[in-house]
Amino acid sequence: IMVVNQPPSRFVSLSYLSGGRAKVQFSAPAGPTYIVAASTDWVTWESIGPAEDQGDGTFAFEDETSAKFARRYYRIYQVIGQ
């Protein structure tokens, strides 16, 4: 997991749920939209969806397709210009 362009952001956890789904959690300032991107090779990244604000200073995203991959890396970026 890599949190980019957000010094105050911090990785909280990565857990696996039923069906092989991965749940990514991180802390970040409230307000902006954060997008989760995934890669299998650290070179090609695909935006896979927005993280959900949990209301306690953390954000979460469940990757519904993570079970399809032997290895998957994640990074989070803030949407600029909202």
Side-chain angles (χ1 to χ4, degrees):
I1 300 223
M2 178 171 45
V3 179
V4 293
N5 223 4
Q6 288 294 206
S9 301
R10 301 238 189 286
F11 167 74
V12 174
S13 69
L14 173 65
S15 54
Y16 294 96
L17 308 173
S18 62
R21 295 173 296 140
K23 182 175 182 178
V24 177
Q25 291 185 282
F26 62 97
S27 64
T33 298
Y34 298 95
I35 301 296
V36 178
S39 174
T40 57
D41 61 8
W42 286 98
V43 176
T44 306
W45 291 90
E46 173 187 4
S47 296
I48 57 174
E52 182 178 326
D53 189 340
Q54 302 298 290
D56 62 357
T58 65
F59 291 78
F61 178 81
E62 289 185 20
D63 182 357
E64 302 288 334
T65 63
S66 62
K68 296 179 183 179
F69 304 94
R71 188 172 295 141
R72 188 114 148 141
Y73 305 100
Y74 298 96
R75 70 179 178 186
I76 290 86
Y77 62 92
Q78 179 183 337
V79 175
I80 304 296
Q82 290 184 300

